[in-house]
Amino acid sequence: MKSALSILFLLVAISLFSQSTVNGVIVDSKNKEGLIGAHIYLLKNWRKGAITDVDGKFSMEVEQVDMQDSLIVSYVGFREKIVPVSTTMNIELIEIETVGKTVVVTAKPLIAEEFKYMEIKKIDIYTNPAAKADPILAVNSLPSATTTDESANISLRGSSPLETGIFMNNVPIYDAVRYSQLNGIGTFSIFNTSIIKGVTVFPGNPPLEFGNVTSGIIAMETDDRVLDDNANSLVLSLANIGYSREQKLNDKQSLKLFTNWQPSGPIKMLNEDALEDIESFTSNDLGLYWYGNGSLVSWKVLSYSVTEAYQFNFEHPSFMGIFDQKKQRSFLISTLEKSLWGGSLSLNNGMSYSNGDYSYSTVAFNVKKNDIFVGANYLLSKTRFSLKSGISYDYRFSSVFGNFHEFGYAVNTNHPTIDLDEEAHIKVLEGYSYFKYFISDQIAFGTGFRKNIPTENIDDYLSRQANISYADETWTITLGTGVYHKNGLMENTGEPFNSESFQKSIDIKRNKNGLELAVSLFDKTGETNEVKYTARGAEFFTNYRLSSKLNASASLTFLDAESEQGGYTYDLSYFIRGNVSYSPGRFWTIESTIVAREGTAISEVTSASYDGALDAFEPSYSEQSIRLAPYANAGLSVSKIFTISEKMNVIAFASLNNVFDRANIQSFGYNFDYSEKDQNLYSQRTGYLGAVINF
């Protein structure tokens, strides 16, 4: 069967470059981040002005006489500033601080933030064609990502996606993919980028303020800024119709409602050949996000539900027919934070539920999952040191009920099945402490431990780590080592598993004059359910802004990974990524991406024996795996923004995945007696287009 789903959801937001006389950027003086929606206008002619884009950039045409004027710059929550006009401007605004008895609680950064590998902003998710507007898929563009199946199941530095931790507001999120198949692979994540502030990625040596993780961490944070006015957004595209509204309740609270419907008809009509194995799909979701920053406590509450249905052509040597799956998924995440004893106390809670029905041939079964997480953390930050301690309880439950074919090689309607009714659960109770000390303004040292309290099916363990980082205006060098543990349930079967890993890494970055260079070396050994693996390698990355219109980046990863079971999916000697962004004119952006890697290793069928009782053939596989042909995929997107009024704009976009329609082999399919085989392919050339209306 061909790749299960190759749909591009691309919501593009554009960096605005222009040949106007005045170009500039407005940033927050504290973190140097661009301020979107800042107002700029001439002091002597207020009718002539501009508004900053998603990067905080602006451009405006002025008369020669206006070059003697000044600009007034204003942004809600920041001090207004008046600066002389010049052709290139970099303006820093200072945030207004609350004075008096009122104490404003603000979101605290990760205590291990200095040791992060990379942070992905919302604009990075939108402008990267490979991300498809998905915050998890955006991670696949990083050099550290070794995902091989075009999915949202992220592998980091040669480890299984099973070991990758996904967190939202410090709450672990499991079963986080949409259109997930029996193998647990899902094409998209369930997260809506419109509520995401940023994504912090730790591909190795995950900070122990996050628990129950052995490989890397993808930590998402939701928006925490109240807009100065209500905002609406409407999405109209081939496979998505969505609407969101952010309602300002008062100066310190906002409420966001978002919903989407994903039909399959239009995109299948445009891409009939590429999506021929997909019978139909549909998805409906509804979410509510409430953010507030009061005088005593701040809070974030996210409620989200999604229902989906997916039918695809299932091909097996003994059966051909429709695989039908339906699933409901919902979760509730809440975060409370309060200033206390000179520090910050936070409570993080999460509850989730999923119910999936799957059927094909004469098989029908149901999978239910429930997850509960409760965490309490206290962070004390001083000039030279920070200390964070806490405790967390993570409970997971899974039940599988139905019937399955007794033999994997005999799945037709006349073949025998067995009944299955099983339940599994785990309880992970952990306490941790992490200490960070600034030896100087450039050097930071961090160390910590995380200890569990043994439960009925989890043994005693101790996770520990140490990091040291040097950072100045040009260089960042980080060294880390640690031992980590994870206990969980297999996403596809619900069976319990435990894993352990030992990691060492060094990350070196240099950023100067628009040229960014990075080199990373890593070495890890791991064990999951007593099956050992090793993964070591090197990553090289460069990004350079060639001009105000052209930006290019490239990465090369060398990986040496192997497992005791052989045929390790992530044993790839090289992984290449590239991205070029070009702005040919005002409000236009053209982006291209390329991914190339060594083919994966698989076991090939060498012979088959006939089972007369079942009237089916049982295959035999080679002991030595073979390597598929190299994988390569190029993507292209074009977008343009149309400004209708000060509050309304339309972003039109079109994209093409696998531009050259390369036949990338995913696996092989066989006929009834395994005497002939054909190729199962990853996504073929797929076109997508649509528009986003903001008002």
Side-chain angles (χ1 to χ4, degrees):
M1 186 188 71
K2 296 179 182 177
S3 182
L5 192 59
S6 54
I7 308 166
L8 297 178
F9 292 100
L10 181 58
L11 307 177
V12 182
I14 308 170
S15 301
L16 305 180
F17 300 107
S18 171
Q19 297 178 347
S20 304
T21 304
V22 178
N23 295 284
V25 60
I26 313 298
V27 300
D28 185 335
S29 63
K30 289 184 178 180
N31 53 32
K32 311 305 180 185
E33 292 181 359
L35 298 176
I36 179 175
H39 290 262
I40 307 101
Y41 50 93
L42 291 171
L43 178 63
K44 297 179 180 178
N45 184 4
W46 58 269
R47 294 181 178 87
K48 184 174 294 186
I51 301 175
T52 56
D53 66 1
V54 290
D55 286 329
K57 297 179 180 179
F58 71 92
S59 61
M60 55 187 294
E61 297 179 358
V62 297
E63 304 292 339
Q64 188 62 36
V65 66
D66 295 328
M67 295 299 295
Q68 307 302 317
D69 201 350
S70 296
L71 289 180
I72 298 179
V73 184
S74 64
Y75 189 79
V76 62
F78 289 77
R79 299 182 188 278
E80 189 177 83
K81 195 170 188 178
I82 300 178
V83 293
V85 176
S86 63
T87 55
T88 302
M89 310 184 71
N90 191 324
I91 304 169
E92 297 184 0
L93 295 186
I94 300 174
E95 188 174 3
I96 299 174
E97 298 181 358
T98 304
V99 296
K101 297 182 180 181
T102 302
V103 178
V104 178
V105 181
T106 58
K108 299 294 188 298
L110 300 170
I111 188 173
E113 190 173 25
E114 282 76 14
F115 310 112
K116 68 188 177 187
Y117 178 78
M118 187 171 290
E119 187 172 7
I120 305 173
K121 299 296 185 182
K122 179 184 296 188
I123 179 59
D124 301 322
I125 302 172
Y126 281 141
T127 57
N128 183 356
K132 307 170 188 176
D134 190 302
I136 299 299
L137 287 179
V139 179
N140 270 334
S141 298
L142 301 182
S144 302
T146 49
T147 310
T148 61
D149 51 27
E150 299 182 341
S151 80
N153 298 75
I154 307 299
S155 164
L156 294 172
R157 292 184 172 174
S159 296
S160 165
L162 191 70
E163 298 186 65
T164 302
I166 298 176
F167 292 79
M168 175 172 282
N169 293 344
N170 296 320
V171 173
I173 304 295
Y174 304 105
D175 193 19
V177 295
R178 195 175 305 208
Y179 303 123
S180 175
Q181 302 167 63
L182 282 180
N183 53 15
I185 294 175
T187 310
F188 297 97
S189 77
I190 60 176
F191 305 108
N192 191 310
T193 303
S194 66
I195 63 169
I196 300 297
K197 177 183 179 181
V199 182
T200 304
V201 181
F202 297 86
N205 294 301
L208 289 179
E209 59 185 291
F210 297 99
N212 211 25
V213 174
T214 50
S215 174
I217 284 177
I218 302 171
M220 293 173 289
E221 184 183 354
T222 54
D223 277 331
D224 55 8
R225 182 161 58 190
V226 178
L227 299 181
D228 57 352
D229 199 359
N230 301 328
N232 300 272
S233 181
L234 179 65
V235 179
L236 301 173
S237 62
L238 284 180
N240 189 57
I241 299 175
Y243 172 76
S244 66
R245 175 175 176 82
E246 184 163 4
Q247 180 73 39
K248 180 181 179 181
L249 302 180
N250 54 44
D251 290 340
K252 296 183 178 181
Q253 295 186 60
S254 68
L255 187 68
K256 189 163 191 173
L257 174 70
F258 55 93
T259 182
N260 291 275
W261 172 49
Q262 296 178 356
S264 60
I267 193 170
K268 277 180 59 65
M269 186 181 302
L270 181 65
N271 303 278
E272 184 176 358
D273 293 337
L275 304 179
E276 62 180 357
D277 281 342
I278 299 174
E279 189 71 16
S280 67
F281 68 86
T282 185
S283 174
N284 299 275
D285 63 56
L286 177 66
L288 188 67
Y289 175 60
W290 179 32
Y291 166 72
N293 193 346
S295 59
L296 298 177
V297 66
S298 66
W299 63 91
K300 296 179 180 180
V301 180
L302 173 63
S303 176
Y304 180 79
S305 297
V306 57
T307 61
E308 61 184 59
Y310 183 27
Q311 291 184 327
F312 59 90
N313 297 320
F314 179 67
E315 297 182 9
H316 187 274
S318 64
F319 172 78
M320 293 182 62
I322 298 296
F323 195 113
D324 187 6
Q325 61 185 64
K326 299 180 178 65
K327 190 174 184 180
Q328 299 85 42
R329 177 81 164 90
S330 61
F331 62 79
L332 175 67
I333 295 175
S334 63
T335 300
L336 296 175
E337 186 172 348
K338 175 180 175 60
S339 294
L340 184 67
W341 303 324
S344 172
L345 176 67
S346 63
L347 301 177
N348 310 105
N349 303 288
M351 296 184 296
S352 69
Y353 167 81
S354 69
N355 184 9
D357 292 300
Y358 307 84
S359 64
Y360 71 97
S361 185
T362 54
V363 166
F365 59 97
N366 173 266
V367 179
K368 292 182 180 178
K369 299 177 183 177
N370 292 281
D371 304 315
I372 298 175
F373 176 85
V374 179
N377 309 276
Y378 181 74
L379 172 63
L380 181 65
S381 295
K382 298 298 183 180
T383 304
R384 282 294 183 185
F385 75 90
S386 296
L387 176 65
K388 190 173 185 179
S389 298
I391 189 170
S392 65
Y393 175 72
D394 196 351
Y395 172 80
R396 300 197 65 196
F397 170 84
S398 175
S399 70
V400 181
F401 173 80
N403 68 311
F404 297 81
H405 281 107
E406 186 175 358
F407 304 97
Y409 60 89
V411 298
N412 209 339
T413 55
N414 61 328
H415 291 144
T417 62
I418 57 175
D419 294 330
L420 185 65
D421 186 1
E422 294 185 354
E423 295 182 352
H425 71 272
I426 62 163
K427 300 175 182 178
V428 181
L429 179 60
E430 297 178 322
Y432 78 93
S433 185
Y434 192 93
F435 176 77
K436 182 179 65 178
Y437 180 73
F438 283 93
I439 301 173
S440 68
D441 292 340
Q442 291 80 32
I443 302 175
F445 171 76
T447 185
F449 69 90
R450 195 172 189 103
K451 180 69 180 67
N452 79 313
I453 298 177
T455 57
E456 55 186 303
N457 54 1
I458 297 179
D459 295 331
D460 181 78
Y461 61 79
L462 175 66
S463 300
R464 59 271 188 195
Q465 72 176 160
N467 299 293
I468 188 167
S469 176
Y470 171 85
D472 59 24
E473 295 181 354
T474 303
W475 292 91
T476 300
I477 304 174
T478 304
L479 291 84
T481 184
V483 178
Y484 309 92
H485 298 82
K486 181 174 183 178
N487 292 271
L489 301 176
M490 298 285 189
E491 295 300 332
N492 52 339
T493 64
E495 298 177 0
F497 74 89
N498 63 82
S499 62
E500 179 182 10
S501 73
F502 172 66
Q503 303 182 35
K504 295 173 287 185
S505 65
I506 178 171
D507 300 295
I508 304 173
K509 298 180 183 179
R510 185 180 188 274
N511 193 343
K512 190 173 183 179
N513 299 328
L515 175 62
E516 181 181 357
L517 300 172
V519 178
S520 298
L521 305 174
F522 60 90
D523 185 305
K524 66 172 74 173
T525 59
E527 181 177 318
T528 300
N529 287 350
E530 300 182 352
V531 176
K532 296 181 180 180
Y533 79 93
T534 60
R536 55 184 60 91
E539 302 163 359
F540 302 89
F541 172 79
T542 181
N543 181 79
Y544 185 54
R545 180 163 295 283
L546 301 168
S547 69
S548 62
K549 295 183 177 181
L550 184 63
N551 187 81
S553 65
S555 68
L556 173 61
T557 299
F558 295 108
L559 185 64
D560 179 17
E562 59 182 358
S563 169
E564 286 184 335
Q565 292 184 335
Y568 194 48
T569 302
Y570 306 102
D571 181 20
L572 303 171
S573 60
Y574 69 90
F575 218 126
I576 302 172
R577 293 180 178 85
N579 178 276
V580 177
S581 175
Y582 178 62
S583 299
R586 188 174 177 84
F587 305 123
W588 280 95
T589 296
I590 301 174
E591 289 205 40
S592 65
T593 59
I594 185 171
V595 177
R597 60 167 172 79
E598 187 180 23
T600 55
I602 66 170
S603 296
E604 191 176 24
V605 173
T606 56
S607 62
S609 58
Y610 180 68
D611 187 335
L614 297 176
D615 189 26
F617 286 82
E618 181 179 3
S620 297
Y621 294 88
S622 61
E623 294 183 1
Q624 298 295 326
S625 59
I626 65 169
R627 192 167 293 279
L628 298 175
Y631 172 97
N633 190 330
L636 179 68
S637 70
V638 180
S639 58
K640 179 177 173 60
I641 186 169
F642 300 90
T643 303
I644 309 302
S645 65
E646 182 177 329
K647 292 187 177 182
M648 183 176 183
N649 62 69
V650 178
I651 303 172
F653 58 87
S655 62
L656 198 61
N657 180 51
N658 197 356
V659 174
F660 303 107
D661 204 18
R662 178 181 171 87
N664 291 306
I665 304 174
Q666 183 182 31
S667 61
F668 292 116
Y670 297 87
N671 65 344
F672 74 102
D673 63 356
Y674 295 87
S675 61
E676 299 178 1
K677 67 179 180 181
D678 58 8
Q679 300 173 346
N680 297 325
L681 304 179
Y682 286 105
S683 59
Q684 296 175 263
R685 182 165 54 211
T686 311
Y688 196 72
L689 54 88
V692 182
I693 306 170
N694 300 304
F695 57 98

